[in-house]
Amino acid sequence: MKYRTIGTDPAHRRDVSVLALGAMLFGSRTDEKTSFAILDRYVEAGGNFVDTSDNYAFWEDGGQGGQSEELLGRWRRSRGVGDEVVVATKVGARPLAPGTSYTDNPEGLSAKVIREAAERSRERLGMDRLDLLYAHIDDHTVPQRETVEGFAALVAEGVVGLLGVSNQAVWRVERARALAAAAGLPGYEVLQYAHSHLRPRTDIPDDLFPDGSLGHAGPELLGYLRAEPALTLVAYSPLLKGAYTRQERPLPGDYDHPGTPARLAVLRDVARETGATVNQVVLAWQLGGDLPVVPLAGASSPAQLEENLAAVDLELSPDQRARLDTVH
């Protein structure tokens, strides 16, 4: 396994494996025995960066979520796992009542909610301190200063280490970070957005992001990363939920545009040249790029995890990387 450092404060920064493991469906669609086997193998291979959220996976049973955090808590206790495994979780998008959704009834990002949600996450996970806590989605109903101060208070109290943000417009991220810096408070240092080799259209609003595809790491966010080298991008859905390789999983509709076939063709060419799978090429492309990107890949079986782990040691040639980078 290889590692990179996230965070800048010596008291809170962590060395994490370059491949993060998504636990979204652990404890719901992925049963406990399989989930434990995947987690055990990931740690055995040197992985130490596991991602969850307080709302995973509310849609599986019409509830409010918490299954993933609860399973990770059981796994941590049964294996005696301590702070050697970095666990990231999120607040802000848990439905307030069963049968509702974060699109119409989210918990939000008030200081009160941040504190109470973080405490519930700590209890479910069995952790005295949350290693990394994200603002999961934006909340325009609460002053940003309140949100910034709410997160910072938990860091000051020692119950949260690093702070992150997901699915927000870049200008909102920058404003929040500027507010924190001006007040001498810890701010967001890890950004979690959807990012893969294929590029989605960003001009079609969808239900989750009415202002456009804010959940995707588009050119603006990638440019922001280049301007702020202390930040790290954790790239969720790098493998597009299996759509690269599984015929029964068509590409999402926003990837249906004239630029997609050429990028798919280059991926397949490089896969043939290297003897790797297309999924492994996508992960290796992210891992070896010039930006600090940590792919966040889920797995529903140990075999899927093994495929992903093998990408860590896949070296793309300069020519292959140039072709992957420059195709339009």
Side-chain angles (χ1 to χ4, degrees), residues 64 104 122 126 140 159 213 232:
Q64 293 173 275
D104 56 11
R122 288 171 58 221
H140 291 271
V159 295
S213 297
T232 301

Side-chain angles (χ1 to χ4, degrees), residues 55-122:
N55 74 341
Y56 293 162
F58 75 88
W59 56 91
E60 290 294 316
D61 62 4
Q64 293 173 275
Q67 303 99 307
S68 175
E69 289 184 331
E70 289 168 355
L71 180 136
L72 288 173
R74 294 193 295 273
W75 173 75
R76 292 181 74 258
R77 287 188 291 271
S78 70
R79 305 305 195 252
V81 171
D83 62 5
E84 70 274 13
V85 174
V86 176
V87 177
T89 193
K90 312 174 191 75
V91 299
R94 192 179 199 216
L96 287 174
T100 62
S101 172
Y102 56 81
T103 59
D104 56 11
N105 194 28
E107 61 189 354
L109 294 174
S110 69
K112 180 175 184 293
V113 164
I114 291 168
R115 177 173 294 278
E116 293 176 351
E119 180 59 29
R120 289 192 294 268
S121 289
R122 288 171 58 221

Side-chain angles (χ1 to χ4, degrees), residues 71 116 144 151 211 248 251 289 309:
L71 180 136
E116 293 176 351
Q144 256 190 317
F151 278 113
D211 299 323
E248 76 277 13
L251 288 169
L309 288 170

Side-chain angles (χ1 to χ4, degrees), residues 180-262:
L185 299 174
Y188 302 137
E189 295 190 89
V190 184
L191 314 182
Q192 187 174 136
Y193 289 75
H195 181 49
S196 190
H197 187 257
L198 292 185
R199 297 170 176 170
R201 294 181 62 175
T202 57
D203 59 337
I204 303 176
D206 59 28
D207 293 338
L208 178 56
F209 307 116
D211 299 323
S213 297
L214 300 182
H216 293 292
E220 186 178 13
L221 187 134
L222 297 177
Y224 187 52
L225 279 174
R226 288 188 173 90
E228 298 289 340
L231 299 177
T232 301
L233 172 64
V234 172
Y236 72 79
S237 295
L239 304 179
L240 301 179
K241 301 179 180 179
Y244 280 108
T245 57
R246 297 171 61 179
Q247 291 188 350
E248 76 277 13
R249 295 279 183 92
L251 288 169
D254 50 351
Y255 290 85
D256 184 12
H257 59 79
T260 292

Side-chain angles (χ1 to χ4, degrees), residues 2-66:
K2 302 172 185 176
Y3 302 87
R4 73 162 63 244
T5 301
I6 57 173
T8 56
D9 184 343
H12 299 120
R13 66 190 180 199
R14 300 296 302 272
D15 290 333
V16 298
S17 48
V18 295
L19 181 68
L21 176 63
M24 177 188 287
L25 297 177
F26 289 0
S28 55
R29 194 180 305 175
T30 306
D31 63 56
E32 184 156 316
K33 180 179 179 180
T34 304
S35 300
F36 276 32
I38 293 169
L39 287 160
D40 289 345
R41 174 60 186 134
Y42 176 68
V43 171
E44 179 185 49
N48 73 337
F49 194 14
V50 180
D51 183 271
T52 185
S53 173
D54 70 348
N55 74 341
Y56 293 162
F58 75 88
W59 56 91
E60 290 294 316
D61 62 4
Q64 293 173 275

Side-chain angles (χ1 to χ4, degrees), residues 11-12 14 87 122 127-132 158-162:
H12 299 120
R14 300 296 302 272
V87 177
R122 288 171 58 221
M127 300 178 70
D128 293 330
R129 186 180 79 163
L130 300 173
D131 300 310
L132 169 58
V159 295
V160 170
L162 293 168

